[in-house]
Amino acid sequence: MRFARLPVAAALLAAVCLPAAAQTLYPINRAEILAGSRFDLKVEFPGTVDAASVKLTLNGQDYHKLLGKSASLIPDETGKGASSLILRDVTLTRPGQYSVEASDGTNTRKVVWNVYATPAKPAAKNVILFIGDGFSVAHRTAARILSQGIEDGKLKGKLAMDELPAMALLSTQGTDSIITDSANAAHAYTTGHKSCVNALGVYCSRAANSLDHPKVETLGELAKRNGLAVGAVTNSEIEDATPAAMVAHTRRRSDFNDIVKMFYDTKIDVIMGGGSPNFLPKSTPGSKRTDEVDYIEQFKGAGYAFATTKAEMATAADDKKTTRLLGLYNTGNIDGALDLKFLKKGSVSKFPDQPDVVEEMKAAIKILSRNKKGFVLMVESARIDKYSHSMDAERAIYDTIMLDKAVAEAKRWSKANGNNTLILVTADHSHGVSVVGTVNDDAAGNDMRNKIGTYEDAGFPNYPAPNAEGYPEKVDVSKRIRLVFANTPDYYETFRPYLDGENVPAIKNAEGVMVANEKYKDVPGAVFRTGNLPNVGPRGANQGVHTGDDVVLTAGGPGSAAVHGQMENTDLFRVIAEALALGKPAATGKK
């Protein structure tokens, strides 16, 4: 059936330009789509097309018969002679395989979608998804050594995440690269769709505006539609990629002002992190908004308690009347565990009462569990990634310990409240890090390189026993774990913890070249290292970058049996959807 319901503007296209290239369809080929979820269907033609020549079918039937709504043709979306067809808010409720064909009268392109349902009844009441941003196997190994200790060659204990019964490897690549970023990776977890670097809740099309790309419904939106409470807590800015993936639809993860609005429009129940300047009206000193909307007041008006300190957060969470909370504890990222608890560096002097991830999570669970239907909570230990970018090993390890302490608290809460919570622990992507031995200050000589112990010379580090929270209270011990970074800019290797503040490995010189930061040049024993990343142009690196390695997923609780073997990162969304029965089968006779 030809298009009979396209806008009048399409009829103005008298000329037809049909290059040999085929059109592009979104969702893409082999997309896995949850029955009942919402998404945008888009066809991009390589040239301008005549509306009368365009045909779109699903399983051989005219699209309108199955979808019950009309598409819009954009005569020249690019301004360079290329038309597009867009159909917003599509829903398919009948599971099965869908063959989707688009024709411009000469060229035809076909993709296949798999629409899947979930059980009619949920296996889990709640889901807690832990994301250690950039959390790699070496981080986990180092955190285990420091927080548990070793005796007679055996660890004295395991991490809480180690004792979750299900485990899998997740691949992390997207549609455009074998290397992903936090936006695209978190998007895979919260939508079940693959996309490209910097994208959140959208497929990456040729739309000029970052907010106009074809959308896919997020976990936050789905859970809210199903009557569940939803939360996102992090120690990054709350608008940053991973927490934003719960609600956002943008091609550009840096659209912080728009993402704040998306949090408000979606109204998930608990929102905690840093990043307050993007909530403040433009006229407020320190604001990063480009408009005069005061989103803190907007959230308050929508019934949210508001907290700027750990004490205020605890008071709000303890109040049984609190069912919504906005917590903004820093103008930037919340400081990591090593600075918050021991070194008091970073911005701790300016924000002395910031909560850590464990405290945020415990407050969030108190509030979200007041919803009798259940909840979905994303908990991010974000600075594992940020400290790995800056090649700051000790800070990254301590934030990994913090992630595990949050997992331990979640497990305790679940056990005390019916064991009906699915707990998932993973990373969004990996970093090139490895534990290669120890550094022994007491070894002979002044050459720090030759104080590195490998194999039997490595022995064991001499950190003090962990305190009650699981952290050694001293990192500048005489025999330290050697965590090295594989993908680096030029930098000066000091072989020591950065006690004065987070490492800054490289900076841009007057010629625009990324060079080693000479701040560390005169540290006793420091060695210049030539990097292996680009150092000029827009891709010039001043820090480490992500890798394409698989990441580990561990899980426990109802629904965790689906976690096994090697999986795609998008499969994690399906594990959650099936555990919560978010895609129930359609009734007989319905599409």
Side-chain angles (χ1 to χ4, degrees), residues 210-231:
S210 62
L211 305 183
D212 286 344
H213 295 257
K215 299 177 178 65
V216 286
E217 193 168 21
T218 68
L219 177 60
E221 293 166 322
L222 271 163
K224 288 293 287 183
R225 279 210 291 125
N226 279 268
L228 301 174
V230 179

Side-chain angles (χ1 to χ4, degrees), residues 260-280:
V260 168
K261 182 178 185 300
M262 292 169 194
F263 271 115
Y264 180 73
D265 290 343
T266 308
K267 291 185 177 62
I268 65 171
D269 304 271
V270 174
I271 305 165
M272 288 196 276
S276 56
N278 293 97
F279 287 74
L280 299 171

Side-chain angles (χ1 to χ4, degrees), residues 27 43 345 368 431:
V43 183
K345 299 297 182 181
L368 296 173
H431 273 275

Side-chain angles (χ1 to χ4, degrees), residues 555-568:
S560 62
V563 173
H564 59 83
Q566 195 282 326
M567 305 169 70
E568 291 284 354

Side-chain angles (χ1 to χ4, degrees), residues 404-423:
D404 193 63
K405 296 305 157 186
V407 174
E409 288 295 330
K411 290 173 67 177
R412 277 193 282 271
W413 181 87
S414 178
K415 184 177 180 180
N417 289 272
N419 280 322
N420 54 12
T421 299
L422 171 61
I423 296 174

Side-chain angles (χ1 to χ4, degrees), residues 74-125:
I74 306 171
D76 185 4
E77 184 180 36
T78 65
K80 298 178 181 178
S83 304
S84 292
L85 186 73
I86 188 75
L87 186 60
R88 303 284 187 187
D89 276 336
V90 171
T91 300
L92 294 170
T93 56
R94 177 172 289 172
Q97 191 173 89
Y98 288 74
S99 177
V100 186
E101 283 195 22
S103 172
D104 58 18
T106 300
N107 302 301
T108 299
R109 175 71 190 278
K110 181 175 78 171
V111 298
V112 175
W113 302 336
N114 177 47
V115 176
Y116 64 92
T118 62
K121 294 183 178 180
K125 180 179 180 181

